[in-house]
Amino acid sequence: MPFRVGVFVYDNCLASGTLGFSELLEAANKRINKRYFECVFVSHEGLDVELTLGHLSNLTMYTLNDIATANLDALLIPGFWTQSINDVYQFHQNNKPLILTLSRLEQQLEVYAYCTAVTLLAASGRLGGKMATATWWLSEYLCDTYKEVDWRFGDTFVKSSQTITASGVQGYLPIANYLIQQHCGAEILDELTDLMVLARPTKKPLPMQELQIIKSNGPLMAKVFRWVENSQASELKVENLAIATNMSKRTLARKIKTLSGLSCATFMRKVKIQQACNLLRLNRSPVKQVCFKLGYLDESSFRRIFKETTGYTPTQFTRYFVD
């Protein structure tokens, strides 16, 4: 009998995960020429659903209450589209019947969730007393709201009892990888990763991801980001930035503190080190080249600042985060 996974679909869920997950498991079937996995679609009421990128219809659709009838071994819950914590709260308020149904799932059923879907599992009580992770920007909300969960935001993938949680909109990828490795072996997973040119998910979230939200906090922060990235590290002084933004040092410091929660000097250092991280990870540039390209006075100082800012040495960073 194949391992049967229900892919749960609901209005405004992430379409890429519902289809991408199913295709990865089907690729494993084709690679070993045996039906190890079978994916079926499940919706709350067994009806077609509206996805953000289109309409999912003409599929055999089970309901969450039909899981026993469908003979499912596991259920995947993809994330939903949102831009703020308020959106998450509103989604929960609008989908209380769905959350109630999730709370009634059999405990022996394996349940997988990633990105914002982890909030649905937490709201259902399914994660009580278990370890779990989710997308990093949800951490404060989840820790405050669901104190009974053992949150592990330092990890991007967590298996705890009959539950798997993962972070990010592509969190379905490490979940599919886990299933393929468990059922087909590590060699098959490696072959599929190479053949399909799949990204290898990191075990830890990238440092300083909070800067991406800070960067979107209005035109001033966007301008400051550009200035820091275009300046040499040796030129990153508050007085220079004040001149570039046509502000007094005091006003500039106050605004950056309000918008980022950081002092001006700390903020500039983090932006510059994030730029170094991108060169190491995406361009695969040597440490020495990154150091001098960004204008650090010497490699020793760069390595020290990098470790203080990220928690990793440049060598450790490339080992953990570069494929």
Side-chain angles (χ1 to χ4, degrees):
M1 290 286 292
F3 187 80
R4 205 161 197 232
V5 184
V7 179
F8 182 52
V9 291
Y10 53 94
D11 289 343
N12 291 320
C13 70
L14 297 166
S16 59
T18 63
L19 302 177
F21 177 84
S22 306
E23 289 175 343
L24 286 171
L25 297 192
E26 183 58 28
N29 289 340
K30 292 182 181 299
R31 177 64 190 83
I32 57 180
N33 198 29
K34 184 175 181 180
R35 197 154 190 79
Y36 265 84
F37 301 104
E38 182 179 356
C39 287
V40 298
F41 287 89
V42 178
S43 67
H44 188 215
E45 301 294 341
L47 303 174
D48 296 343
V49 299
E50 289 290 341
L51 303 180
T52 302
L53 300 180
H55 187 71
L56 190 60
S57 60
N58 299 321
L59 295 169
T60 300
M61 200 75 78
Y62 291 91
T63 75
L64 283 176
N65 291 321
D66 286 337
I67 283 177
T69 305
N71 197 28
L72 295 185
D73 298 294
L75 180 71
L76 174 78
I77 308 174
F80 53 89
W81 288 93
T82 181
Q83 298 185 68
S84 67
I85 295 300
N86 186 60
D87 287 347
V88 174
Y89 174 78
Q90 197 59 53
F91 189 91
H92 285 208
Q93 291 298 110
N94 294 340
N95 289 274
K96 288 183 178 179
L98 185 156
I99 294 171
L100 179 62
T101 305
L102 290 176
S103 73
R104 294 172 176 169
L105 295 177
E106 294 293 333
Q107 287 301 310
Q108 66 267 26
L109 179 74
E110 292 187 13
V111 180
Y112 318 137
Y114 65 92
C115 198
T116 46
V118 178
T119 70
L120 298 176
L121 273 194
S124 75
R126 181 90 185 189
L127 298 179
K130 295 181 181 179
M131 295 183 295
T133 189
T135 302
W136 63 269
W137 63 268
L138 293 166
S139 59
E140 185 175 354
Y141 163 76
L142 288 172
C143 286
D144 289 344
T145 308
Y146 305 106
K147 294 181 171 62
E148 70 281 7
V149 181
D150 183 4
W151 294 109
R152 302 295 178 97
F153 293 105
D155 298 312
T156 57
F157 173 93
V158 173
K159 184 178 188 306
S160 183
S161 185
Q162 298 296 100
T163 303
I164 292 177
T165 52
S167 63
V169 296
Q170 292 184 327
Y172 66 90
L173 180 55
I175 297 173
N177 285 357
Y178 170 81
L179 291 178
I180 292 169
Q181 180 168 322
Q182 287 295 110
H183 291 269
C184 307
E187 290 185 9
I188 296 298
L189 175 59
D190 284 341
E191 287 182 22
L192 285 174
T193 299
D194 290 338
L195 288 169
M196 301 179 72
V197 198
L198 299 176
R200 297 179 183 271
T202 59
K203 294 181 180 179
K204 300 287 184 182
L206 288 167
M208 300 180 299
Q209 294 185 85
E210 72 277 5
L211 290 179
Q212 298 309 311
I213 287 183
I214 295 173
K215 189 175 184 178
S216 64
N217 283 349
L220 173 62
M221 296 311 292
K223 182 177 182 178
V224 170
F225 261 85
R226 286 193 300 272
W227 182 85
V228 173
E229 290 175 339
N230 291 331
S231 300
Q232 295 288 286
S234 58
E235 299 172 357
L236 297 182
K237 299 176 181 178
V238 178
E239 52 265 34
N240 292 343
L241 180 56
I243 293 171
T245 54
N246 196 29
M247 294 183 189
S248 69
K249 289 169 55 177
R250 185 174 180 179
T251 299
L252 174 66
R254 176 174 52 80
K255 288 194 173 185
I256 285 184
K257 181 69 174 180
T258 299
L259 293 170
S260 71
L262 303 169
S263 70
C264 207
T266 300
F267 172 74
M268 288 191 291
R269 183 175 67 250
K270 280 180 172 282
V271 172
K272 204 64 183 175
I273 290 299
Q274 185 194 50
Q275 191 178 7
C277 288
N278 290 337
L279 289 172
L280 290 170
R281 188 171 67 91
L282 303 178
N283 295 26
R284 301 173 184 268
S285 301
V287 175
K288 187 174 183 178
Q289 181 180 324
V290 171
C291 168
F292 291 106
K293 180 175 183 177
L294 298 184
Y296 288 91
L297 297 178
D298 60 79
E299 190 174 342
S300 176
S301 297
F302 170 70
R303 289 179 179 275
R304 175 178 54 79
I305 295 169
F306 192 98
K307 175 69 183 295
E308 291 174 353
T309 306
T310 68
Y312 302 93
T313 66
T315 302
Q316 290 171 332
F317 179 85
T318 54
R319 185 186 308 137
Y320 291 144
F321 300 108
V322 178
D323 292 341

